[in-house]
Amino acid sequence: MDRLIQDFVKDCQLRGMSPRSIPHYGYIPKVFKNYLEGQGVDFQTVDKDHLRGFIEYLRIEKGAAGKTVENYFAVLSTFYDYLTFEGLVSSNPVLPIRRRYLRRYKDNSMQERQLISVEAMGRLINSEMDIRNKAIIALLAKTGIRRGELISLDVEDVDLVEMRIKLKPTAKRTNRIVFFDAETAFILRRWLKVREGRNKKGIPALFLNAMGDRLDRGGVLLLVGEAARRVGLHNPDSERMEDRFSPHCCRHFFTTHLRRAGMRREFIQELRGDSRREAIDIYDHIDLKELKEAYLAAIPQLGI
C-alpha cells in the first residue's frame, strides 16, 4: 500500500501538479491507509460502508471540519482515479459518496462564484490602504491570472513599458503572455518603489510577505478575503459560494466583464490560458498586438 501511494505521488508530479500541493496528496492516502488497516481491508476492497465510516472517523475522532472532510475526499477521489487508470480497481468508489454525503461537492453544480460589479471591484481595491495588497487585487482583477501564477511572478517578468507579463509555465496554462492597463501600471510602479525598501534579502519575487520572503498562496487568500470582508463582499462563515469572495472570484470577474464588453471568445480563452478544445483551434493563430488592443478596449476601468 505504501508503494501505491509513492507511485501515486510520482504520478501527481508527472501530471504537473503544484509542488506545494503534492505533499498533501501523499499525506491523505496514508491517513486513509491507517484507517483501513484498522478495518482489516485495503484500497482494492473498499466499499461504500468503509468510506462512510471514514467520514465518521474524520468528523468524530479527528474533529475535522466540513471543509477538511471534503478536501480529504477530493484527494481520495483523485487517488482512486489513478488506481482506475492503472487497472488496479474497476471504478472510483469515492464519487458516489461525495455526491451523496458531501454538500459542497453536491451543490457545486448549483452554486456560482460571487460575481461583483465593476463599481464594487473599484470600491474593493480603493478601500485597501496597503499598496502591495492594492497591486495584488488589481493585478488579479485586470489579468485574470490564478493565485499560483501570481505568487510565482518575479520582477523581471513584468514589462511596464509594454504593459505585459510573461507568466511561468504551468500544466494548466497554454498562453503565457497577459496584459495590464494604465491603472494597473500606475499601482505596480508605486508598489515597486515601496518594494525596494522592503527587499532586504534581495529576492526576485514580485510580491513579498512581511518577512521579506516570497508571498505564498495562503497570504494571498487572507489579504483578498480581508479586503473583501471590510467592504461587505465576503462572509467567511457562510457555506454559500455566492457569499464568499476569494482570489478566484477576480478571475471570474475578469472573464465575465470582458465577455460583457464584447470581446471575442477566442481572445478571452487566450488571455485566460485555456486549452484549445477543438482540433481546428490550433490553426487560429492570434496576433499579440491585436489581442492587446482588444484587451485595452474591453478591460473595465475601476477608477483606482
Side-chain angles (χ1 to χ4, degrees), residues 266-285:
E266 61 268 29
F267 280 6
I268 297 175
Q269 289 178 322
E270 186 76 4
L271 290 172
R272 283 172 50 89
D274 294 339
S275 60
R276 307 272 181 102
R277 291 182 171 83
E278 303 294 336
I280 197 171
D281 287 344
I282 64 173
Y283 299 101
D284 186 16
H285 300 290

Side-chain angles (χ1 to χ4, degrees), residues 18-20 136 139-140 145-158 165-170 173 176 203-208 214-217 220:
S18 167
R20 294 179 177 85
I136 287 171
L139 202 58
L140 288 170
I145 61 176
R146 300 176 178 89
R147 188 176 12 157
E149 293 169 338
L150 179 130
I151 63 174
S152 68
L153 287 176
D154 295 327
V155 173
E156 67 178 11
D157 297 326
V158 180
I165 293 172
K166 187 172 184 180
L167 301 171
K168 300 293 193 300
T170 66
R173 176 170 283 274
R176 291 172 55 195
I203 67 173
L206 177 60
F207 293 112
L208 311 173
R214 184 182 295 273
L215 185 66
D216 61 17
R217 291 175 58 87
V220 177

Side-chain angles (χ1 to χ4, degrees), residues 128 132-133 136-137 215 218-228:
E128 179 58 68
R132 182 205 66 174
N133 297 354
I136 287 171
I137 301 172
L215 185 66
V220 177
L221 181 66
L222 287 174
L223 73 88
V224 171
E226 178 57 24

Side-chain angles (χ1 to χ4, degrees), residues 42-60:
D42 59 25
F43 289 130
Q44 293 170 299
T45 54
V46 163
D47 60 24
K48 60 185 178 183
D49 291 328
H50 300 128
L51 291 167
R52 281 192 292 233
F54 189 54
I55 292 177
E56 293 182 1
Y57 168 78
L58 292 173
R59 288 175 175 168
I60 298 172

Side-chain angles (χ1 to χ4, degrees), residues 1-2 5 27-41 43 54 57:
M1 292 171 74
D2 288 332
I5 296 172
Y27 170 75
I28 287 178
K30 289 180 181 178
V31 175
F32 188 51
K33 181 202 76 167
N34 293 336
Y35 167 78
L36 293 180
E37 288 176 346
Q39 304 296 310
V41 296
F43 289 130
F54 189 54
Y57 168 78

Side-chain angles (χ1 to χ4, degrees), residues 185-220:
F186 174 75
I187 295 175
L188 282 173
R189 287 191 178 94
R190 287 181 57 197
W191 159 241
L192 288 171
K193 289 181 180 179
V194 172
R195 179 189 173 280
E196 289 178 6
R198 295 187 187 178
N199 191 21
K200 305 298 183 182
K201 299 180 181 180
I203 67 173
L206 177 60
F207 293 112
L208 311 173
N209 62 20
M211 303 299 293
D213 298 314
R214 184 182 295 273
L215 185 66
D216 61 17
R217 291 175 58 87
V220 177

Side-chain angles (χ1 to χ4, degrees), residues 98-164:
R98 292 180 74 196
R99 292 191 186 100
R100 187 168 185 85
Y101 297 106
L102 301 181
R103 182 170 57 183
R104 286 183 66 200
Y105 178 82
K106 181 172 60 181
D107 291 345
N108 270 349
S109 61
M110 296 180 286
Q111 294 189 34
E112 293 185 358
R113 294 184 185 276
Q114 183 179 170
L115 173 65
I116 66 174
S117 66
V118 173
E119 293 74 21
M121 182 62 79
R123 186 170 71 252
L124 169 61
I125 296 173
N126 285 325
S127 72
E128 179 58 68
M129 294 296 102
D130 188 295
I131 187 60
R132 182 205 66 174
N133 297 354
K134 189 187 291 283
I136 287 171
I137 301 172
L139 202 58
L140 288 170
K142 293 278 195 170
T143 65
I145 61 176
R146 300 176 178 89
R147 188 176 12 157
E149 293 169 338
L150 179 130
I151 63 174
S152 68
L153 287 176
D154 295 327
V155 173
E156 67 178 11
D157 297 326
V158 180
D159 186 339
L160 287 168
V161 177
E162 294 295 329
M163 294 194 299
R164 56 188 274 175

